[in-house]
Short mmCIF file of all heavy atoms in Angstrom, two decimals:
data_model
loop_
_atom_site.label_atom_id
_atom_site.label_comp_id
_atom_site.label_asym_id
_atom_site.label_seq_id
_atom_site.Cartn_x
_atom_site.Cartn_y
_atom_site.Cartn_z
N TYR A 1265 -12.77 15.67 31.14
CA TYR A 1265 -13.83 14.90 31.79
C TYR A 1265 -14.13 13.73 30.87
O TYR A 1265 -14.88 13.86 29.91
CB TYR A 1265 -15.07 15.80 31.96
CG TYR A 1265 -16.22 15.19 32.74
CD1 TYR A 1265 -16.33 15.38 34.12
CD2 TYR A 1265 -17.23 14.46 32.08
CE1 TYR A 1265 -17.40 14.84 34.82
CE2 TYR A 1265 -18.30 13.93 32.79
CZ TYR A 1265 -18.38 14.13 34.16
OH TYR A 1265 -19.44 13.60 34.87
N ASN A 1266 -13.46 12.60 31.12
CA ASN A 1266 -13.51 11.50 30.14
C ASN A 1266 -13.87 10.16 30.77
O ASN A 1266 -13.61 9.93 31.95
CB ASN A 1266 -12.13 11.31 29.47
CG ASN A 1266 -11.65 12.54 28.77
OD1 ASN A 1266 -10.78 13.24 29.26
ND2 ASN A 1266 -12.20 12.82 27.61
N ASN A 1267 -14.39 9.29 29.94
CA ASN A 1267 -14.47 7.87 30.26
C ASN A 1267 -13.47 7.15 29.39
O ASN A 1267 -13.56 7.21 28.15
CB ASN A 1267 -15.86 7.31 29.95
CG ASN A 1267 -16.84 7.55 31.07
OD1 ASN A 1267 -16.45 7.75 32.21
ND2 ASN A 1267 -18.12 7.52 30.75
N PHE A 1268 -12.51 6.51 30.02
CA PHE A 1268 -11.53 5.68 29.31
C PHE A 1268 -11.02 4.74 30.39
O PHE A 1268 -10.02 5.01 31.06
CB PHE A 1268 -10.41 6.56 28.72
CG PHE A 1268 -9.62 5.96 27.59
CD1 PHE A 1268 -8.84 6.76 26.77
CD2 PHE A 1268 -9.64 4.59 27.33
CE1 PHE A 1268 -8.10 6.25 25.72
CE2 PHE A 1268 -8.91 4.05 26.29
CZ PHE A 1268 -8.14 4.90 25.48
N TYR A 1269 -11.82 3.66 30.59
CA TYR A 1269 -11.63 2.82 31.76
C TYR A 1269 -10.26 2.14 31.81
O TYR A 1269 -9.83 1.71 32.87
CB TYR A 1269 -12.75 1.77 31.83
CG TYR A 1269 -13.99 2.29 32.53
CD1 TYR A 1269 -14.32 3.65 32.54
CD2 TYR A 1269 -14.84 1.42 33.20
CE1 TYR A 1269 -15.45 4.11 33.18
CE2 TYR A 1269 -15.98 1.88 33.86
CZ TYR A 1269 -16.28 3.22 33.84
OH TYR A 1269 -17.39 3.68 34.49
N GLU A 1270 -9.59 2.05 30.67
CA GLU A 1270 -8.24 1.50 30.68
C GLU A 1270 -7.32 2.32 31.59
O GLU A 1270 -6.28 1.84 32.03
CB GLU A 1270 -7.66 1.49 29.25
CG GLU A 1270 -8.27 0.44 28.32
CD GLU A 1270 -9.55 0.90 27.61
OE1 GLU A 1270 -10.27 1.77 28.15
OE2 GLU A 1270 -9.83 0.38 26.52
N LEU A 1322 -22.66 14.13 21.84
CA LEU A 1322 -22.28 12.86 22.47
C LEU A 1322 -23.12 12.70 23.73
O LEU A 1322 -23.11 13.57 24.59
CB LEU A 1322 -20.79 12.88 22.85
CG LEU A 1322 -20.35 11.65 23.65
CD1 LEU A 1322 -19.46 10.75 22.80
CD2 LEU A 1322 -19.61 12.01 24.92
N CYS A 1324 -23.70 10.30 26.84
CA CYS A 1324 -23.16 9.16 27.57
C CYS A 1324 -24.29 8.41 28.26
O CYS A 1324 -25.28 9.00 28.70
CB CYS A 1324 -22.13 9.63 28.61
SG CYS A 1324 -21.27 8.25 29.38
N TRP A 1328 -25.10 12.21 30.91
CA TRP A 1328 -24.60 13.56 30.59
C TRP A 1328 -24.31 13.65 29.10
O TRP A 1328 -24.23 12.63 28.41
CB TRP A 1328 -23.35 13.92 31.41
CG TRP A 1328 -22.26 12.88 31.44
CD1 TRP A 1328 -22.06 11.95 32.42
CD2 TRP A 1328 -21.22 12.65 30.47
NE1 TRP A 1328 -20.98 11.16 32.11
CE2 TRP A 1328 -20.44 11.57 30.93
CE3 TRP A 1328 -20.87 13.25 29.28
CZ2 TRP A 1328 -19.34 11.08 30.22
CZ3 TRP A 1328 -19.78 12.77 28.56
CH2 TRP A 1328 -19.03 11.70 29.04
N ILE A 1332 -19.36 18.21 20.42
CA ILE A 1332 -17.91 18.11 20.19
C ILE A 1332 -17.56 18.25 18.71
O ILE A 1332 -18.15 17.56 17.87
CB ILE A 1332 -17.40 16.74 20.71
CG1 ILE A 1332 -17.80 16.55 22.18
CG2 ILE A 1332 -15.90 16.61 20.53
CD1 ILE A 1332 -17.40 15.21 22.78
N TRP A 1334 -15.54 17.05 16.17
CA TRP A 1334 -14.60 15.98 15.79
C TRP A 1334 -14.04 16.25 14.40
O TRP A 1334 -14.70 16.86 13.55
CB TRP A 1334 -15.31 14.63 15.75
CG TRP A 1334 -15.91 14.09 17.01
CD1 TRP A 1334 -17.21 13.77 17.20
CD2 TRP A 1334 -15.24 13.77 18.24
NE1 TRP A 1334 -17.39 13.26 18.47
CE2 TRP A 1334 -16.20 13.25 19.13
CE3 TRP A 1334 -13.91 13.87 18.68
CZ2 TRP A 1334 -15.90 12.84 20.41
CZ3 TRP A 1334 -13.61 13.46 19.96
CH2 TRP A 1334 -14.58 12.95 20.82
N SER A 1359 -10.05 -1.99 20.85
CA SER A 1359 -9.19 -0.92 21.36
C SER A 1359 -7.83 -1.48 21.80
O SER A 1359 -7.68 -2.69 21.99
CB SER A 1359 -9.85 -0.25 22.58
OG SER A 1359 -11.03 0.41 22.21
N TYR A 1378 -10.94 -3.61 25.28
CA TYR A 1378 -12.27 -3.05 25.10
C TYR A 1378 -12.70 -3.35 23.67
O TYR A 1378 -11.96 -3.10 22.71
CB TYR A 1378 -12.18 -1.54 25.29
CG TYR A 1378 -13.49 -0.78 25.38
CD1 TYR A 1378 -13.99 -0.41 26.63
CD2 TYR A 1378 -14.17 -0.37 24.24
CE1 TYR A 1378 -15.17 0.33 26.73
CE2 TYR A 1378 -15.35 0.37 24.34
CZ TYR A 1378 -15.84 0.72 25.58
OH TYR A 1378 -16.99 1.45 25.68
N GLN A 1406 -6.26 11.02 25.91
CA GLN A 1406 -7.43 10.69 26.74
C GLN A 1406 -8.72 10.62 25.93
O GLN A 1406 -9.70 10.03 26.38
CB GLN A 1406 -7.57 11.66 27.92
CG GLN A 1406 -7.79 13.11 27.57
CD GLN A 1406 -6.49 13.89 27.47
OE1 GLN A 1406 -5.46 13.34 27.12
NE2 GLN A 1406 -6.55 15.17 27.79
N ASN A 1407 -8.74 11.23 24.76
CA ASN A 1407 -9.94 11.16 23.90
C ASN A 1407 -9.84 10.05 22.86
O ASN A 1407 -10.70 9.95 21.98
CB ASN A 1407 -10.21 12.51 23.23
CG ASN A 1407 -10.65 13.56 24.22
OD1 ASN A 1407 -9.84 14.32 24.74
ND2 ASN A 1407 -11.93 13.60 24.54
N ARG A 1412 -10.33 6.89 16.79
CA ARG A 1412 -11.46 6.34 17.53
C ARG A 1412 -12.71 6.44 16.65
O ARG A 1412 -12.68 7.03 15.58
CB ARG A 1412 -11.70 7.16 18.79
CG ARG A 1412 -12.09 8.59 18.43
CD ARG A 1412 -12.53 9.43 19.59
NE ARG A 1412 -13.78 8.97 20.15
CZ ARG A 1412 -14.23 9.29 21.36
NH1 ARG A 1412 -13.50 10.10 22.11
NH2 ARG A 1412 -15.37 8.85 21.81
N GLY A 1420 -22.44 6.84 24.32
CA GLY A 1420 -21.01 7.06 24.08
C GLY A 1420 -20.15 5.81 24.15
O GLY A 1420 -19.10 5.76 23.52
N PHE A 1421 -20.60 4.79 24.89
CA PHE A 1421 -19.72 3.63 25.04
C PHE A 1421 -19.53 2.87 23.72
O PHE A 1421 -18.60 2.08 23.58
CB PHE A 1421 -20.17 2.71 26.18
CG PHE A 1421 -21.47 1.96 25.98
CD1 PHE A 1421 -21.47 0.71 25.38
CD2 PHE A 1421 -22.68 2.48 26.45
CE1 PHE A 1421 -22.65 -0.01 25.23
CE2 PHE A 1421 -23.86 1.77 26.30
CZ PHE A 1421 -23.86 0.53 25.68
N SER A 1423 -18.62 4.27 21.04
CA SER A 1423 -17.56 4.97 20.31
C SER A 1423 -16.20 4.60 20.87
O SER A 1423 -15.59 5.33 21.65
CB SER A 1423 -17.80 6.48 20.38
OG SER A 1423 -19.00 6.82 19.72
N ALA A 1424 -15.73 3.41 20.46
CA ALA A 1424 -14.49 2.87 21.04
C ALA A 1424 -13.29 3.74 20.67
O ALA A 1424 -13.19 4.27 19.57
CB ALA A 1424 -14.29 1.45 20.54
N LYS A 1425 -12.38 3.83 21.64
CA LYS A 1425 -11.19 4.69 21.50
C LYS A 1425 -9.95 3.88 21.13
O LYS A 1425 -9.89 2.69 21.38
CB LYS A 1425 -10.93 5.39 22.84
CG LYS A 1425 -12.02 6.36 23.24
CD LYS A 1425 -11.71 6.98 24.59
CE LYS A 1425 -12.67 8.11 24.90
NZ LYS A 1425 -12.39 8.73 26.21
N1 MTE B 584 -13.25 3.34 24.59
C1 MTE B 584 -12.41 2.60 25.35
N2 MTE B 584 -11.43 1.91 24.76
N3 MTE B 584 -12.53 2.58 26.71
C2 MTE B 584 -13.53 3.24 27.36
O1 MTE B 584 -13.62 3.16 28.60
N4 MTE B 584 -15.48 4.72 27.15
C3 MTE B 584 -16.63 5.03 26.29
C4 MTE B 584 -16.19 5.58 24.94
N5 MTE B 584 -15.07 4.82 24.40
C5 MTE B 584 -14.45 4.01 26.59
C6 MTE B 584 -14.25 4.05 25.18
C7 MTE B 584 -17.58 5.95 26.92
S1 MTE B 584 -18.54 5.31 28.19
C8 MTE B 584 -17.76 7.24 26.48
S2 MTE B 584 -19.02 8.21 27.14
C9 MTE B 584 -16.87 7.83 25.46
O2 MTE B 584 -15.81 6.93 25.09
C10 MTE B 584 -16.25 9.10 26.01
O3 MTE B 584 -15.47 9.74 25.02
P1 MTE B 584 -14.71 11.11 25.42
O4 MTE B 584 -13.92 10.82 26.65
O5 MTE B 584 -13.86 11.47 24.24
O6 MTE B 584 -15.79 12.11 25.67
#
Side-chain angles (χ1 to χ4, degrees):
Y1265 185 92
N1266 301 104
N1267 276 338
F1268 201 163
Y1269 274 28
E1270 287 86 333
L1322 174 109
C1324 188
W1328 48 264
I1332 305 178
W1334 298 122
S1359 294
Y1378 190 99
Q1406 62 268 31
N1407 291 94
R1412 64 172 293 162
F1421 68 89
S1423 295
K1425 295 178 171 180

